[in-house]
Amino acid sequence: MKKIFFDYSSRPHEPDVNGWAIFKQTSLAPLLPALQKGYSPPPGEVTIVVSHHMYDGAEGAHLQDVAEKATQAEGAFFFVYASRTDPAALRDRCKPAHGVFACHAEKLPQNYIALLQGQVNSNFGEAIAAINSIPSTMSVLQQAQAVRRILDKINGSVEDDEKFYSAIAMLLVRKALKSGKIEADQKHALKTWMGNRSDGCDTDAQIEEKLLNRFR
Amino acid sequence: MLIVHIPQSPVLEQRAKISHSWLDHEIAMVDADLAVARWTSRKWPDIGTRWQSLHRIAEDFADMLDQFSASGLVDRRMEFRTLAPATATALKQALDLLHSSHMDAAAVRKEYLGRLARLWTASRAFFARVGDQDCTEPVVRSSWQDVRVAGAAMKLLFSDGTIPAGIVLP
């Protein structure tokens, strides 16, 4: 399995870590062939690329093209976009069906060396550790399936989303009520809304825990 | 106060285009050597066209700075759909008031537009110089440095939290 990590920090170039080849983000040469139409990934090989930079528009289409060609060549190409600064567009822009995944930046610590060694207590750290532990004796198809299962997890689930937004909704209503800016009749309506919810009796600490849990 | 990333938030998508796509990838990560290489390979005219579009996005973003308030979630999230319209409006107004105590959008807008104007002035000067047939490498380097300084000043508003990294929960 070919594992590539694009480093977006200002630290000096690092040697390979745990089988991950590290390239400076500004040095796109290793990825450029993959971004050019007509490129065919090596047959029967699994390639995974982690980058902070999402390739917009045409470049994004190239990535999907590469992923599709890799599949046709009985291999697999996965691109993981790990963004600290603009995860808002992740779900829109990343297409797991085409091998392009997203990772919330909060799961990606500055110390990526520890991350690549699988020592970080986060979903993404666990994913890296899981990828690192995929036996090379597995068939290409099995390796690709294993990577996909792992990456599907870091994208998060709909259930996680519902818990997260439910906690946000509760937090907002509580803060608004405490602000003293709500008229009595509307205050009553909001309290009724809270009372009708299963999480209506959650403490502030429980709500905060649910919010923070998304980033663990 | 928590700052959260909410997918499909127009204000966060525009923020990303300016802070990440433009200021990080098009300016901060392009050093003088790369600027010169782009000049010798005549790549700047195409980039200049792209920057026109980024500049328009950056100008429009100034009018979106009050959208970091969590009040925008009330209309967008299904959790609030059972609220009567008057209750939803009261909730949004209360959240906006809370938000204004954390962020003075008008003051941020003024500072942001000032730095954007300085960046755009430096950018226009740079593109004019690299488009000049008499341009020399030292001129490219020095002019690009002006762009980077102005870009770094603008980036600071994003990196120091003046412009929040996500929707601000009160």
Side-chain angles (χ1 to χ4, degrees):
Chain A
M1 190 184 307
K2 189 175 286 182
K3 299 181 289 188
I4 298 170
F5 186 90
F6 280 89
D7 174 20
Y8 184 44
S9 76
S10 56
R11 67 169 73 213
H13 189 273
E14 302 274 358
D16 290 6
V17 176
N18 228 353
W20 287 85
I22 299 171
F23 296 99
K24 298 302 291 182
Q25 181 80 47
T26 47
S27 170
L28 292 176
L31 195 55
L32 283 178
L35 298 176
Q36 293 166 353
K37 283 214 167 185
Y39 168 79
S40 291
E45 189 168 293
V46 177
T47 303
I48 173 167
V49 176
V50 178
S51 171
H52 289 279
H53 183 44
M54 183 62 183
Y55 296 86
D56 261 324
E59 288 176 324
H62 293 335
L63 279 174
Q64 291 172 22
D65 188 53
V66 169
E68 283 164 16
K69 282 183 175 157
T71 307
Q72 288 160 14
E74 295 183 345
F77 180 91
F78 299 99
F79 182 86
V80 183
Y81 171 44
S83 170
R84 181 173 298 278
T85 54
D86 60 349
L90 293 181
R91 291 283 170 85
D92 275 355
R93 293 156 78 186
C94 295
K95 303 196 185 316
H98 293 110
V100 183
F101 292 81
C103 168
H104 280 283
E106 286 78 2
K107 293 171 183 167
L108 188 69
Q110 287 290 344
N111 184 358
Y112 68 86
I113 299 296
L115 173 85
L116 297 181
Q117 289 169 338
Q119 294 174 356
V120 175
N121 184 21
S122 69
N123 288 357
F124 194 52
E126 286 167 16
I128 294 290
I131 288 169
N132 287 345
S133 67
I134 294 173
S136 57
T137 50
M138 273 185 169
S139 70
V140 168
L141 180 61
Q142 285 172 324
Q143 285 185 36
Q145 287 171 339
V147 173
R148 175 169 284 280
R149 275 198 300 273
I150 292 163
L151 293 181
D152 274 338
K153 283 186 187 171
I154 66 167
N155 257 15
S157 67
V158 173
E159 190 183 337
D160 289 341
D161 278 354
E162 285 175 358
K163 284 181 188 165
F164 177 66
Y165 288 113
S166 182
I168 286 181
M170 285 301 298
L171 176 86
L172 296 184
V173 170
R174 283 181 177 219
K175 293 277 185 180
L177 286 171
K178 283 181 187 170
S179 72
K181 310 288 184 192
I182 304 269
E183 301 280 339
D185 55 338
Q186 302 305 343
K187 194 181 277 188
H188 176 72
L190 287 172
K191 283 185 174 172
T192 303
W193 175 87
M194 283 172 66
N196 287 336
R197 295 176 60 84
S198 60
D199 54 356
C201 295
D202 278 2
T203 63
D204 288 351
Q206 284 172 314
I207 291 171
E208 190 169 324
E209 175 68 18
K210 284 180 182 175
L211 288 172
L212 295 176
N213 193 47
R214 181 182 176 87
F215 304 118
R216 293 201 178 109
Chain B
M1 187 174 75
L2 276 171
I3 293 176
V4 294
H5 300 286
I6 306 292
Q8 297 174 20
S9 300
V11 68
L12 298 187
E13 290 176 5
Q14 299 302 80
R15 182 194 190 282
K17 284 177 186 162
I18 301 158
S19 172
H20 198 49
S21 301
W22 191 19
L23 300 177
D24 284 345
H25 283 281
E26 303 256 345
I27 298 177
M29 291 170 61
V30 177
D31 62 16
D33 289 342
L34 185 52
V36 169
R38 286 179 176 178
W39 169 62
T40 52
S41 57
R42 295 189 172 87
K43 286 188 176 166
W44 282 115
D46 284 345
I47 296 170
T49 304
R50 187 165 71 237
W51 281 32
Q52 297 272 0
S53 164
L54 287 165
H55 179 244
R56 275 194 297 276
I57 289 170
E59 282 186 320
D60 292 344
F61 181 69
D63 294 327
M64 302 173 81
L65 288 170
D66 52 3
Q67 293 179 26
F68 287 99
S69 167
S71 67
L73 295 173
V74 176
D75 286 333
R76 292 177 49 207
R77 292 299 313 170
M78 56 182 249
E79 289 80 4
F80 298 108
R81 284 195 190 142
T82 52
L83 290 176
T87 310
T89 300
L91 176 60
K92 285 190 285 184
Q93 287 170 345
L95 292 171
D96 280 338
L97 281 169
L98 282 170
H99 181 68
S100 63
S101 67
H102 295 302
M103 178 180 170
D104 182 350
V108 174
R109 182 178 296 116
K110 187 178 174 190
E111 186 62 35
Y112 168 82
L113 285 172
R115 296 190 194 200
L116 174 62
R118 286 193 285 280
L119 172 59
W120 197 235
T121 299
S123 302
R124 287 171 63 189
F126 172 77
F127 284 111
R129 283 175 190 134
V130 294
D132 186 341
Q133 291 203 335
D134 296 329
C135 186
T136 59
E137 184 178 322
V139 169
V140 176
R141 288 181 181 276
S142 136
S143 188
W144 179 246
Q145 179 62 15
D146 292 342
V147 173
R148 292 192 84 190
V149 168
M154 189 166 156
K155 175 69 188 181
L156 199 58
L157 292 177
F158 293 89
S159 53
D160 72 2
T162 303
I163 294 173
I167 301 300
V168 182
L169 303 185

